[in-house]
Amino acid sequence: QGTGGGHWFNFQSGTSNLWSMGAQTGMMGWYNRTTGNVGYKMVIQDGGNVGIGTTSPSRTLHVSTDSGVLIKGATGTANAKISFLPASGGRQYDLGNVGADFRIFDASAGVTRMYFDNDGNTGIGTTTPGYKLDVVSTGDGLLSLTGGTKPAMIFKVGTAVVGGIQA
């Protein structure tokens, strides 16, 4: 069983893979009892917060890990994504892969806002960037740079300054 009393169901496969699932005051959880790996692996608190790798989740989903989180397409060429949509409505944005590339997609408008290809190129207004930063616009105001008291743009080749623009 887990810690802190409560009611637990125990699962065992041979002498290894010893697990308990149950509830105690304030939460229910999955507890690993296998030697060398003892502890809670996932909990659901009374308030609905889910913790993976933590027994005190501070958000709806709280993952605590040193090895990262993987979100993977489930079948064939399916792409993985995370979607963000305000509770009050508004625009939905998706972060996700497109094959070997990555994009920020405005799902509400059906438009890719920023695109990162697998060669290290970044596109704003294009999904086929040909440069480290490729900005494409059909309207006015392609690029705006705002600085402190001396806004400037410096051009370098390697470490050598070869030109610039200063207001």
Side-chain angles (χ1 to χ4, degrees):
Q1 74 181 24
T3 61
H7 301 282
W8 294 86
F9 294 97
N10 295 311
F11 303 90
Q12 183 171 345
S13 174
T15 57
S16 61
N17 299 323
L18 309 171
W19 284 89
S20 296
M21 180 184 75
Q24 65 184 47
T25 304
M27 69 178 183
M28 66 173 289
W30 287 261
Y31 189 86
N32 189 327
R33 299 183 294 125
T34 305
T35 303
N37 197 20
V38 174
Y40 283 99
K41 301 306 174 189
M42 186 171 111
V43 299
I44 302 173
Q45 291 181 326
D46 283 349
N49 288 355
V50 175
I52 299 174
T54 180
T55 57
S56 53
S58 60
R59 301 284 188 272
T60 303
L61 176 60
H62 181 152
V63 179
S64 181
T65 177
D66 291 329
S67 60
V69 175
L70 174 65
I71 298 175
K72 183 179 178 182
T75 59
T77 59
N79 294 309
K81 70 178 177 183
I82 298 175
S83 298
F84 298 89
L85 179 63
S88 61
R91 300 188 91 75
Q92 175 180 323
Y93 287 92
D94 299 336
L95 305 179
N97 64 315
V98 179
D101 301 337
F102 183 83
R103 72 178 175 174
I104 300 172
F105 185 72
D106 181 342
S108 298
V111 175
T112 297
R113 297 296 181 187
M114 191 172 234
Y115 198 89
F116 306 88
D117 75 14
N118 63 1
D119 292 323
N121 296 333
T122 300
I124 298 174
T126 180
T127 57
T128 56
Y131 304 95
K132 292 299 175 189
L133 179 58
D134 197 345
V135 182
V136 176
S137 175
T138 57
D140 295 335
L142 177 64
L143 183 62
S144 173
L145 302 174
T146 304
T149 58
K150 294 183 179 181
M153 184 184 305
I154 298 171
F155 302 101
K156 292 184 177 183
V157 174
T159 58
V161 175
V162 295
I165 302 170
Q166 184 167 349

